[in-house]
Amino acid sequence: MNKSPELLLPVGTREMLEAAVKNGANAVYFGVPYWNARGRTEDFSMDDVRDMIKYARIHGVRTYLAMNVLVFERELQNLPEYLEKIISFEPDGFIIQDIGLARLIRAISPTQEIHASTQMTLASAEGVNLVKSIGFNRAVLSRELSAKQIAEVKKGTDLEIEVFVHGALCVSYSGQCLTSENFGGRSANRGQCAQSCRLPYSIYVDGKEYRDTNAMYLFSTHDLCALPKLEELANMGVESLKVEGRLKSPEYVAAVTRAYRKALDNSVADLNAKDLEPLEVLFSRGLTTGWLDGDNHQELVDGTFSNHHGLYLGRVAKVERSSVFVELSDKFISQFLDDGLPYPGDGILIEDNRFGVSLGSRLYSAEIVKNAHNKRGDGMRGLGPLLRLDFGRDFDTRKIAKGMDVFRNDSPALEKELRKTFTDRSQEVKTPVNMLLEGSVGDLLKLKIRIPSGSGKCVAEVQSETALEQAKNAGDIEGLARKELGGLSATAYELGHLEISIQGTPFIPGKVLRTLRQQAVQKLDEARLAWHDLKISASRGKKFLQDIRKGASAELGNLNKVPEPAEGLNISVLVRNPQQIAALRGLDIDNIIMDFDWGVKYDEPLQQIRDLGFKAGMATLRIHKPGENHYLKKILELCPDFALVRNLGALSILKDSGIPLHGDYSLNAANSASYDWLLAQGLQTLHPSWDLNSVQLFDLLDSIDGSRLELTLHQYMPAFHSEYCAFARGLTTGRRFPECGKICTQHKVEILDHKGEKHFLQSDAECRNTLFVGRPQSALKLLPQLRAAGVNSFRLEMLQEDPETVRQKVLIYTQAIRGKISIDDAIRQAGIQEKYGLSEGQLFNENTWQDRKK
């Protein structure tokens, strides 16, 4: 194994911090008060943040502050003083999603380390290298990459790479999920994910409910456990291994830290049942390696549940009064049989998802039995050892039937043992220190303490106030020194090697040794807290923002040519199948953007668009991963009139192509500082993030050139955008393409949510799925204000409409945009065209989600 990577743990409370530090974490991350992507955690105070950074640093643990949300324009303008204060606490780094925020932090403190959050949807070396110019020191990659793809990214960049190795998986690409916002007005990009992926859904195929599946929880993924891939990740040079879970318990953090620390320091083969069982018992929706071994849609999503189930024990083989006999799973037999039996008081879950039966109770006792059959024909003969679970009389075992699944999903005894790891000083992981004690009669007694594996600053020297005197009787100096100098239980250290260099027989009081030890530890702590000059200045940040508002930023100033503002109105229509193109003949539009499904060719449709007198554009995919340049090569080969860029990797590859580029909403531009940088990469126009409502949108327009902004006036809003294929999981037994039989090309699939609303499922050219909200969003009401703000580029997006419906919709909107019919008439006519009605969407939601703390 190469140099051991950093083990990075989540912190949602002070206890979680201590659990991580005392069990061997190299680094921790926790949220900046208010500004972080876990809105349901309790915010720390500023004093908390400062004290936690100091505590971690004294213990040799790095701290990263998560500020991984989008920041709106008005907020960005008010942030410099806030950032100045929190940077002054000297964190090791910030985890950032918003490009504008990253630039502001760098303006305030040029040497402050910043990490690109997984919310930035970085999945290729090209994307990582593009943001390097902002000043990022590390990139947290998308969780959808395989180990081979991570290795490819690592080879292609010199930035540090961080990957998730344990915890919850999102079914949607982080930073690209608008489900919570569309379904509940709670933006995941603002720390308010409502976990809509964990809700039940029904599948409709070609208009009829599809019942031949058990996947009610179609989008609820298993959890991630990368222990089997740990050595591979370390050997490829990944710098940081990240655990998810700021909403989990301190005991959970302790268990995960201990298991991964042991695996990194030794090997995964050294892990035993006591290391592994709490990973599932404390919280688990089933553990898999996620995408690290490539796509496996059947394994990634079980589909029958979405909540914590714990450790799977096996299936019910027999019920007898208050006892349940369990035929153990192969995994349990191989890993846990010897020392992983449930404790009395543990929680046991027994269920049958076929009939919606779920029962739970506390355990009275458990034992392995080898001869559980008691009569001929009871179906027990031939079975191996069984686990007998005994319950109290109040638990009605008559509801339990043979074949039901059994889980161990709670263990007070296990939690108690784990709690000791961060409350019992004798169990915590400490930093070894070497000490040198030297002196002689007539000289001062000196103590030098150092961390052998640390940097040059990890050394402290102290000396006694008075010279040593001659002892009347020779004593056991070594024994006394070990006792007094080794009294480090209340510190971050433990005594490693002690060297004693005492000349003669001086008298050394124990009190003097204790005083030297205390002084030396204090000086060592102070040395570890020493930090480099961050050159912090809120004023510099304010000037940076002012320059952007004046259009004088360094990035735009360095461009050879800034495109002239477009004259007049410019209307684009995005189509998702070639049959929609002919329907646009003769309509008052300017551009047609092609965004086709898997296997659809672009050359003939491109020429068809030009023959109709329109400019032809091609949309990139929303994600760019290693080995996926063929689609971008097709754009370069066909040389369309323009390209709609949807990810940073594509922007990096296309920026010098000479093809005019326009940026889409998936680039998540939410403020003038992010707009400024993205436009400086060669984009002519840029669509704002869909996290903005109308108030925030016009705040943004007050700070930018409106002619460089494009807005979609009509579209089916994307909710999930996922590497996971719900077509394959729900309708086939295929693990991946081509085992799925390209089922997505054969049927129209709709997903019914818990509110009774249907949504459209669509695949793209890389088999990724997008769930589109069934009721399209119309922004027509904003048209007069947008025009007044200088916006003249508008888009209309089609989805599955037939050609006639496409023509009718586009005609209505173009007439409204050109001023030929009133806005009210257009909205009324557009609503008639929609199968599930028309929505105003998030743009008209002016509420701020208040109930942040659960």
Side-chain angles (χ1 to χ4, degrees):
M1 186 182 292
N2 287 344
K3 178 183 176 183
S4 184
E6 169 188 273
L7 179 58
L8 175 58
L9 272 295
V11 168
T13 65
R14 175 61 189 240
E15 275 198 325
M16 291 171 72
L17 172 64
E18 296 185 12
V21 168
K22 293 180 179 180
N23 280 282
N26 301 115
V28 295
Y29 65 101
F30 48 93
V32 170
Y34 187 79
W35 297 100
N36 68 88
R38 286 294 181 270
R40 288 180 292 153
T41 60
E42 182 178 348
D43 271 338
F44 298 116
S45 69
M46 296 296 256
D47 287 342
D48 291 335
V49 172
R50 181 189 59 243
D51 293 345
M52 290 165 71
I53 291 172
K54 287 184 176 180
Y55 171 84
R57 184 157 292 147
I58 286 173
H59 285 78
V61 172
R62 293 179 286 275
T63 52
Y64 306 129
L65 299 185
M67 207 169 176
N68 49 342
V69 292
L70 296 182
V71 180
F72 303 137
E73 182 65 21
R74 196 175 301 180
E75 297 168 337
L76 190 72
Q77 301 298 327
N78 294 326
L79 270 178
E81 287 88 353
Y82 178 93
L83 288 169
E84 180 183 60
K85 182 174 182 178
I86 205 157
I87 292 171
S88 72
F89 297 158
E90 301 175 347
D92 289 81
F94 283 84
I95 304 171
I96 304 296
Q97 173 185 14
D98 192 289
I99 288 173
L101 175 61
R103 297 180 69 205
L104 178 58
I105 289 176
R106 278 297 199 169
I108 293 170
S109 177
T111 59
Q112 175 60 62
E113 188 167 312
I114 54 175
H115 299 175
S117 169
T118 190
Q119 293 284 121
M120 288 188 71
T121 326
L122 294 172
S124 68
E126 291 87 350
V128 170
N129 289 332
L130 182 66
V131 302
K132 179 183 175 181
S133 65
I134 298 172
F136 282 107
N137 307 90
R138 176 185 293 184
V140 188
L141 298 183
S142 295
R143 280 169 272 202
E144 289 78 3
L145 294 174
S146 69
K148 291 181 180 179
Q149 290 168 332
I150 292 171
E152 287 300 309
V153 176
K154 182 61 187 165
K155 289 177 185 176
T157 182
D158 59 0
L159 252 65
E160 291 185 1
I161 293 300
E162 179 176 306
V163 299
F164 280 90
V165 293
H166 199 90
L169 284 171
C170 295
V171 75
S172 179
Y173 272 93
S174 295
Q176 301 298 313
C177 183
L178 296 170
T179 316
S180 294
E181 183 158 349
N182 282 305
F183 292 0
R186 299 169 54 174
S187 169
N189 284 327
R190 295 280 289 176
Q192 290 297 339
C193 175
Q195 295 196 324
S196 301
C197 53
R198 304 295 178 180
L199 298 174
Y201 294 89
S202 298
I203 305 173
Y204 281 74
V205 178
D206 299 328
K208 296 181 179 180
E209 184 173 4
Y210 184 76
R211 297 181 178 273
D212 191 20
T213 181
N214 61 351
M216 172 184 279
Y217 295 95
L218 184 62
F219 299 103
S220 183
T221 58
H222 283 309
D223 292 340
L224 172 65
C225 177
L227 283 170
K229 309 294 291 185
L230 212 57
E231 186 171 352
E232 184 178 353
L233 291 171
N235 285 337
M236 70 178 66
V238 169
E239 282 83 3
S240 182
L241 306 176
K242 187 172 194 172
V243 175
E244 180 276 341
R246 278 185 278 160
L247 293 172
K248 303 293 197 309
S249 68
E251 292 80 6
Y252 172 89
V253 170
V256 177
T257 309
R258 285 172 72 83
Y260 279 81
R261 179 78 277 146
K262 185 174 181 179
L264 288 169
D265 291 347
N266 300 291
S267 73
V268 175
D270 290 322
L271 298 179
N272 56 41
K274 291 301 181 184
D275 301 314
L276 296 172
E277 63 175 329
L279 302 187
E280 297 199 68
V281 174
L282 295 190
F283 191 92
S284 167
R285 288 170 286 223
L287 297 180
T288 74
T289 54
W291 279 281
L292 290 172
D293 283 310
D295 292 344
N296 186 333
H297 305 303
Q298 304 299 329
E299 183 178 276
L300 185 74
V301 170
D302 178 277
T304 63
F305 63 88
S306 66
N307 57 338
H308 164 55
H309 268 48
L311 176 63
Y312 179 63
L313 300 178
R315 294 179 182 272
V316 174
K318 177 183 178 182
V319 181
E320 186 179 276
R321 296 188 181 91
S322 60
S323 299
V324 175
F325 294 85
V326 181
E327 182 183 1
L328 296 171
S329 71
D330 291 339
K331 177 182 176 182
F332 189 89
I333 292 174
S334 62
Q335 291 188 2
F336 304 108
L337 186 58
D338 292 336
D339 53 1
L341 291 183
Y343 300 104
D346 282 2
I348 301 296
L349 173 68
I350 304 174
E351 66 178 20
D352 188 334
N353 285 305
R354 296 171 301 172
F355 304 105
V357 178
S358 184
L359 305 168
S361 181
R362 292 287 172 189
L363 184 65
Y364 181 75
S365 66
E367 66 173 330
I368 296 293
V369 292
K370 295 185 178 180
N371 297 301
H373 63 280
N374 56 14
K375 60 182 179 180
R376 189 172 299 173
D378 64 359
M380 304 287 285
R381 292 185 182 275
L383 297 182
L386 301 181
L387 175 63
R388 173 174 171 162
L389 303 176
D390 295 324
F391 300 94
R393 294 180 179 179
D394 56 340
F395 184 52
D396 188 359
T397 58
R398 292 175 298 179
K399 298 179 181 179
I400 299 173
K402 184 177 179 180
M404 293 178 72
D405 292 317
V406 183
F407 300 85
R408 177 187 175 204
N409 68 350
D410 180 39
S411 180
L414 191 57
E415 290 189 26
K416 184 178 180 180
E417 288 300 310
L418 286 166
R419 190 166 187 80
K420 289 179 183 178
T421 65
F422 56 92
T423 57
D424 184 346
R425 287 177 179 172
S426 67
Q427 292 196 34
E428 66 184 76
V429 176
K430 289 175 173 282
T431 302
V433 292
N434 293 345
M435 294 187 184
L436 170 62
L437 182 69
E438 55 186 353
S440 61
V441 176
D443 291 331
L444 299 178
L445 183 63
K446 299 177 182 178
L447 177 65
K448 182 176 182 180
I449 180 173
R450 68 184 181 89
I451 300 173
S453 60
S455 63
K457 72 178 183 179
C458 298
V459 178
E461 295 186 51
V462 294
Q463 59 188 20
S464 62
E465 294 182 356
T466 59
L468 296 176
E469 298 179 357
Q470 176 67 43
K472 295 180 180 179
N473 299 303
D476 182 9
I477 294 177
E478 182 175 350
L480 179 65
R482 286 193 177 277
K483 175 185 175 183
E484 298 296 349
L485 299 181
L488 298 167
S489 62
T491 73
Y493 315 108
E494 63 182 4
L495 181 60
H497 176 69
L498 173 61
E499 181 180 351
I500 299 175
S501 179
I502 301 296
Q503 305 301 318
T505 55
F507 171 63
I508 303 177
K511 182 178 180 181
V512 172
L513 290 172
R514 289 193 296 273
T515 300
L516 289 180
R517 183 198 71 216
Q518 292 165 358
Q519 291 174 346
V521 167
Q522 183 178 348
K523 287 190 71 173
L524 185 59
D525 285 348
E526 290 170 356
R528 299 185 90 183
L529 286 172
W531 204 237
H532 57 270
D533 184 7
L534 292 168
K535 299 179 175 61
I536 309 167
S537 171
S539 298
R540 195 164 51 237
K542 290 180 179 179
K543 183 179 185 302
F544 163 75
L545 295 175
Q546 290 170 357
D547 288 346
I548 286 174
R549 290 173 71 94
K550 295 175 183 176
S553 77
E555 279 80 1
L556 282 178
N558 288 334
L559 286 181
N560 294 325
K561 181 181 179 182
V562 177
E564 294 294 329
E567 295 183 3
L569 291 167
N570 193 280
I571 302 174
S572 300
V573 177
L574 185 144
V575 295
R576 287 193 164 91
N577 68 67
Q579 291 71 37
Q580 295 172 331
I581 295 173
L584 300 172
R585 180 187 300 272
L587 295 183
D588 195 2
I589 63 172
D590 303 280
N591 316 299
I592 297 178
I593 306 167
M594 296 175 287
D595 183 16
F596 297 153
D597 197 350
W598 183 90
V600 179
K601 294 184 178 180
Y602 279 81
D603 45 358
E604 292 183 6
L606 186 146
Q607 188 58 49
Q608 181 185 6
I609 292 169
R610 288 172 171 167
D611 290 344
L612 291 175
F614 305 127
K615 288 186 176 180
M618 291 176 65
T620 74
L621 301 179
R622 208 156 149 190
I623 305 297
H624 178 247
K625 296 172 69 175
E628 292 184 357
N629 286 353
H630 52 279
Y631 190 84
L632 296 174
K633 288 178 180 177
K634 180 60 66 174
I635 292 177
L636 294 171
E637 174 191 329
L638 294 177
C639 199
D641 299 306
F642 65 95
L644 180 65
V645 178
R646 289 173 164 164
N647 65 75
L648 293 169
L651 179 56
S652 176
I653 291 171
L654 297 176
K655 62 182 296 189
D656 298 320
S657 67
I659 299 172
L661 306 178
H662 300 267
D664 209 358
Y665 59 83
S666 51
L667 297 175
N668 278 329
N671 55 63
S672 56
S674 54
Y675 247 82
D676 174 75
W677 186 84
L678 285 163
L679 290 174
Q681 307 313 304
L683 298 177
Q684 295 189 357
T685 64
L686 178 57
H687 197 295
S689 164
W690 278 126
D691 284 276
L692 277 67
N693 65 21
S694 58
V695 173
Q696 294 147 355
L697 174 62
F698 288 108
D699 282 343
L700 173 63
L701 281 166
D702 283 342
S703 300
I704 65 171
D705 177 1
S707 69
R708 307 290 297 278
L709 183 145
E710 180 186 26
L711 193 76
T712 300
L713 295 182
H714 172 92
Q715 74 162 351
Y716 294 89
M717 291 293 291
F720 302 125
H721 184 67
S722 182
E723 191 74 23
Y724 158 72
C725 182
F727 288 99
R729 171 61 186 91
L731 306 182
T732 79
T733 59
R735 296 170 299 169
R736 60 184 67 90
F737 175 83
E739 294 176 17
C740 60
K742 297 187 287 186
I743 193 73
C744 59
T745 64
Q746 302 169 32
H747 302 282
K748 286 190 175 181
V749 174
E750 296 173 285
I751 305 298
L752 181 72
D753 69 17
H754 62 291
K755 295 181 179 179
E757 297 181 0
K758 287 183 180 178
H759 312 285
F760 304 107
L761 191 65
Q762 187 96 359
S763 63
D764 70 9
E766 286 292 344
C767 294
R768 298 185 187 109
N769 285 188
T770 303
L771 185 68
F772 290 92
V773 178
R775 296 177 65 200
Q777 173 178 292
S778 174
L780 271 174
K781 281 186 178 180
L782 297 180
L783 186 58
Q785 292 172 268
L786 291 167
R787 295 292 293 120
V791 180
N792 49 37
S793 296
F794 299 101
R795 193 192 312 166
L796 310 172
E797 292 198 359
M798 303 298 113
L799 188 60
Q800 298 178 344
E801 298 93 333
D802 59 70
E804 181 56 31
T805 303
V806 168
R807 185 171 185 84
Q808 290 300 319
K809 285 185 181 182
V810 175
L811 180 60
I812 292 166
Y813 275 89
T814 53
Q815 287 179 326
I817 295 169
R818 305 290 186 186
K820 297 179 180 179
I821 61 174
S822 70
I823 300 296
D824 289 341
D825 282 347
I827 292 173
R828 179 182 57 80
Q829 293 180 39
I832 294 173
Q833 298 293 322
E834 299 305 335
K835 183 176 181 180
Y836 300 125
L838 196 64
S839 167
E840 291 185 339
Q842 178 65 12
L843 273 173
F844 295 89
N845 178 10
E846 297 182 7
N847 297 320
T848 300
W849 183 260
Q850 297 293 331
D851 187 17
R852 294 177 56 85
K853 306 306 171 192
K854 296 285 187 181

